[in-house]
mmCIF file of all heavy atoms in Angstrom:
data_model
loop_
_atom_site.group_PDB
_atom_site.id
_atom_site.type_symbol
_atom_site.label_atom_id
_atom_site.label_comp_id
_atom_site.label_asym_id
_atom_site.label_seq_id
_atom_site.Cartn_x
_atom_site.Cartn_y
_atom_site.Cartn_z
ATOM 1 N N PHE P 586 -2.403 20.350 -4.822
ATOM 2 C CA PHE P 586 -3.530 21.268 -4.898
ATOM 3 C C PHE P 586 -3.148 22.610 -4.280
ATOM 4 O O PHE P 586 -3.535 22.948 -3.175
ATOM 5 C CB PHE P 586 -4.750 20.692 -4.163
ATOM 6 C CG PHE P 586 -5.454 19.611 -4.918
ATOM 7 C CD1 PHE P 586 -5.092 18.288 -4.751
ATOM 8 C CD2 PHE P 586 -6.483 19.918 -5.795
ATOM 9 C CE1 PHE P 586 -5.737 17.276 -5.451
ATOM 10 C CE2 PHE P 586 -7.142 18.917 -6.489
ATOM 11 C CZ PHE P 586 -6.761 17.594 -6.317
ATOM 12 N N VAL P 592 -10.916 23.215 -5.202
ATOM 13 C CA VAL P 592 -11.185 22.588 -3.910
ATOM 14 C C VAL P 592 -10.980 21.078 -4.043
ATOM 15 O O VAL P 592 -11.599 20.436 -4.896
ATOM 16 C CB VAL P 592 -12.630 22.877 -3.441
ATOM 17 C CG1 VAL P 592 -12.917 22.156 -2.118
ATOM 18 C CG2 VAL P 592 -12.850 24.373 -3.288
ATOM 19 N N ALA P 593 -10.086 20.544 -3.232
ATOM 20 C CA ALA P 593 -9.846 19.098 -3.223
ATOM 21 C C ALA P 593 -10.604 18.483 -2.067
ATOM 22 O O ALA P 593 -10.567 18.997 -0.940
ATOM 23 C CB ALA P 593 -8.355 18.814 -3.049
ATOM 24 N N ILE P 594 -11.311 17.399 -2.350
ATOM 25 C CA ILE P 594 -12.025 16.686 -1.293
ATOM 26 C C ILE P 594 -11.520 15.257 -1.293
ATOM 27 O O ILE P 594 -11.676 14.538 -2.277
ATOM 28 C CB ILE P 594 -13.538 16.763 -1.543
ATOM 29 C CG1 ILE P 594 -13.946 18.220 -1.475
ATOM 30 C CG2 ILE P 594 -14.304 15.870 -0.567
ATOM 31 C CD1 ILE P 594 -15.309 18.543 -0.999
ATOM 32 N N LEU P 595 -10.901 14.865 -0.202
ATOM 33 C CA LEU P 595 -10.282 13.546 -0.112
ATOM 34 C C LEU P 595 -11.077 12.652 0.828
ATOM 35 O O LEU P 595 -11.282 12.981 2.000
ATOM 36 C CB LEU P 595 -8.837 13.688 0.407
ATOM 37 C CG LEU P 595 -8.112 12.394 0.795
ATOM 38 C CD1 LEU P 595 -7.928 11.484 -0.423
ATOM 39 C CD2 LEU P 595 -6.764 12.719 1.426
ATOM 40 N N ASP P 596 -11.522 11.521 0.318
ATOM 41 C CA ASP P 596 -12.197 10.519 1.147
ATOM 42 C C ASP P 596 -11.139 9.510 1.549
ATOM 43 O O ASP P 596 -10.617 8.788 0.690
ATOM 44 C CB ASP P 596 -13.321 9.859 0.336
ATOM 45 C CG ASP P 596 -14.088 8.829 1.166
ATOM 46 O OD1 ASP P 596 -13.806 8.666 2.366
ATOM 47 O OD2 ASP P 596 -14.976 8.172 0.583
ATOM 48 N N ALA P 611 -1.033 17.474 3.889
ATOM 49 C CA ALA P 611 -1.261 18.720 3.153
ATOM 50 C C ALA P 611 -2.694 19.233 3.266
ATOM 51 O O ALA P 611 -3.006 20.311 2.739
ATOM 52 C CB ALA P 611 -0.906 18.525 1.681
ATOM 53 N N VAL P 616 -12.238 16.705 8.403
ATOM 54 C CA VAL P 616 -13.587 16.462 8.918
ATOM 55 C C VAL P 616 -13.644 14.997 9.349
ATOM 56 O O VAL P 616 -13.570 14.092 8.516
ATOM 57 C CB VAL P 616 -14.665 16.736 7.848
ATOM 58 C CG1 VAL P 616 -16.053 16.450 8.405
ATOM 59 C CG2 VAL P 616 -14.570 18.176 7.355
ATOM 60 N N VAL P 618 -15.757 12.164 10.690
ATOM 61 C CA VAL P 618 -17.172 11.819 10.816
ATOM 62 C C VAL P 618 -17.310 10.711 11.858
ATOM 63 O O VAL P 618 -16.527 9.755 11.866
ATOM 64 C CB VAL P 618 -17.748 11.372 9.458
ATOM 65 C CG1 VAL P 618 -19.239 11.080 9.567
ATOM 66 C CG2 VAL P 618 -17.495 12.446 8.401
ATOM 67 N N ASN P 649 -22.729 12.309 13.076
ATOM 68 C CA ASN P 649 -23.663 11.869 12.047
ATOM 69 C C ASN P 649 -24.678 10.892 12.618
ATOM 70 O O ASN P 649 -24.399 10.180 13.582
ATOM 71 C CB ASN P 649 -22.882 11.205 10.889
ATOM 72 C CG ASN P 649 -23.702 11.079 9.629
ATOM 73 O OD1 ASN P 649 -24.701 11.767 9.460
ATOM 74 N ND2 ASN P 649 -23.277 10.217 8.727
ATOM 75 N N THR Q 856 -9.124 24.519 1.066
ATOM 76 C CA THR Q 856 -9.105 24.093 -0.329
ATOM 77 C C THR Q 856 -8.680 22.651 -0.447
ATOM 78 O O THR Q 856 -8.718 22.089 -1.525
ATOM 79 C CB THR Q 856 -8.141 24.972 -1.158
ATOM 80 O OG1 THR Q 856 -6.876 24.980 -0.501
ATOM 81 C CG2 THR Q 856 -8.678 26.373 -1.285
ATOM 82 N N ARG Q 857 -8.231 22.073 0.675
ATOM 83 C CA ARG Q 857 -7.842 20.662 0.676
ATOM 84 C C ARG Q 857 -8.481 20.026 1.902
ATOM 85 O O ARG Q 857 -7.937 20.073 2.989
ATOM 86 C CB ARG Q 857 -6.312 20.531 0.738
ATOM 87 C CG ARG Q 857 -5.611 21.175 -0.450
ATOM 88 C CD ARG Q 857 -4.117 20.941 -0.404
ATOM 89 N NE ARG Q 857 -3.485 21.652 0.694
ATOM 90 C CZ ARG Q 857 -3.087 22.915 0.660
ATOM 91 N NH1 ARG Q 857 -3.277 23.649 -0.429
ATOM 92 N NH2 ARG Q 857 -2.512 23.468 1.714
ATOM 93 N N ILE Q 858 -9.679 19.469 1.686
ATOM 94 C CA ILE Q 858 -10.502 18.979 2.789
ATOM 95 C C ILE Q 858 -10.458 17.461 2.813
ATOM 96 O O ILE Q 858 -10.790 16.808 1.822
ATOM 97 C CB ILE Q 858 -11.964 19.437 2.620
ATOM 98 C CG1 ILE Q 858 -12.042 20.945 2.388
ATOM 99 C CG2 ILE Q 858 -12.802 19.033 3.839
ATOM 100 C CD1 ILE Q 858 -13.376 21.417 1.856
ATOM 101 N N ALA Q 859 -10.049 16.893 3.947
ATOM 102 C CA ALA Q 859 -10.007 15.443 4.075
ATOM 103 C C ALA Q 859 -11.141 14.977 4.980
ATOM 104 O O ALA Q 859 -11.482 15.648 5.956
ATOM 105 C CB ALA Q 859 -8.664 15.009 4.655
ATOM 106 N N PHE Q 860 -11.718 13.832 4.621
ATOM 107 C CA PHE Q 860 -12.770 13.215 5.420
ATOM 108 C C PHE Q 860 -12.250 11.889 5.938
ATOM 109 O O PHE Q 860 -11.736 11.064 5.180
ATOM 110 C CB PHE Q 860 -14.027 12.987 4.580
ATOM 111 C CG PHE Q 860 -14.780 14.246 4.296
ATOM 112 C CD1 PHE Q 860 -14.378 15.091 3.267
ATOM 113 C CD2 PHE Q 860 -15.880 14.615 5.055
ATOM 114 C CE1 PHE Q 860 -15.055 16.280 3.007
ATOM 115 C CE2 PHE Q 860 -16.571 15.800 4.802
ATOM 116 C CZ PHE Q 860 -16.145 16.622 3.787
ATOM 117 N N ALA Q 861 -12.382 11.687 7.258
ATOM 118 C CA ALA Q 861 -11.887 10.454 7.868
ATOM 119 C C ALA Q 861 -12.920 9.950 8.869
ATOM 120 O O ALA Q 861 -13.890 10.640 9.179
ATOM 121 C CB ALA Q 861 -10.551 10.715 8.557
ATOM 122 N N VAL Q 866 -19.585 5.050 9.106
ATOM 123 C CA VAL Q 866 -20.186 6.206 9.804
ATOM 124 C C VAL Q 866 -20.827 7.215 8.858
ATOM 125 O O VAL Q 866 -21.512 8.128 9.298
ATOM 126 C CB VAL Q 866 -19.150 6.948 10.687
ATOM 127 C CG1 VAL Q 866 -18.653 6.044 11.805
ATOM 128 C CG2 VAL Q 866 -17.993 7.471 9.851
ATOM 129 N N THR Q 869 -18.163 8.887 3.499
ATOM 130 C CA THR Q 869 -18.172 8.950 2.043
ATOM 131 C C THR Q 869 -19.425 9.654 1.542
ATOM 132 O O THR Q 869 -19.368 10.458 0.598
ATOM 133 C CB THR Q 869 -18.054 7.532 1.450
ATOM 134 O OG1 THR Q 869 -16.854 6.945 1.939
ATOM 135 C CG2 THR Q 869 -18.043 7.552 -0.053
ATOM 136 N N ARG Q 885 -14.451 24.966 -8.586
ATOM 137 C CA ARG Q 885 -13.886 23.803 -9.268
ATOM 138 C C ARG Q 885 -13.553 22.782 -8.179
ATOM 139 O O ARG Q 885 -12.796 23.089 -7.254
ATOM 140 C CB ARG Q 885 -12.599 24.244 -9.981
ATOM 141 C CG ARG Q 885 -11.804 23.126 -10.577
ATOM 142 C CD ARG Q 885 -12.006 23.024 -12.077
ATOM 143 N NE ARG Q 885 -11.052 22.090 -12.655
ATOM 144 C CZ ARG Q 885 -11.246 20.776 -12.700
ATOM 145 N NH1 ARG Q 885 -12.329 20.250 -12.201
ATOM 146 N NH2 ARG Q 885 -10.341 20.000 -13.243
ATOM 147 N N VAL Q 889 -11.133 13.079 -4.490
ATOM 148 C CA VAL Q 889 -10.144 12.010 -4.552
ATOM 149 C C VAL Q 889 -10.600 10.865 -3.652
ATOM 150 O O VAL Q 889 -10.823 11.055 -2.452
ATOM 151 C CB VAL Q 889 -8.756 12.522 -4.080
ATOM 152 C CG1 VAL Q 889 -7.720 11.407 -4.160
ATOM 153 C CG2 VAL Q 889 -8.328 13.726 -4.911
#
Side-chain angles (χ1 to χ4, degrees):
Chain P
F586 284 90
V592 177
I594 297 211
L595 170 64
D596 182 3
V616 179
V618 183
N649 196 19
Chain Q
T856 53
R857 299 184 292 275
I858 308 165
F860 286 81
V866 296
T869 302
R885 172 102 170 85
V889 181

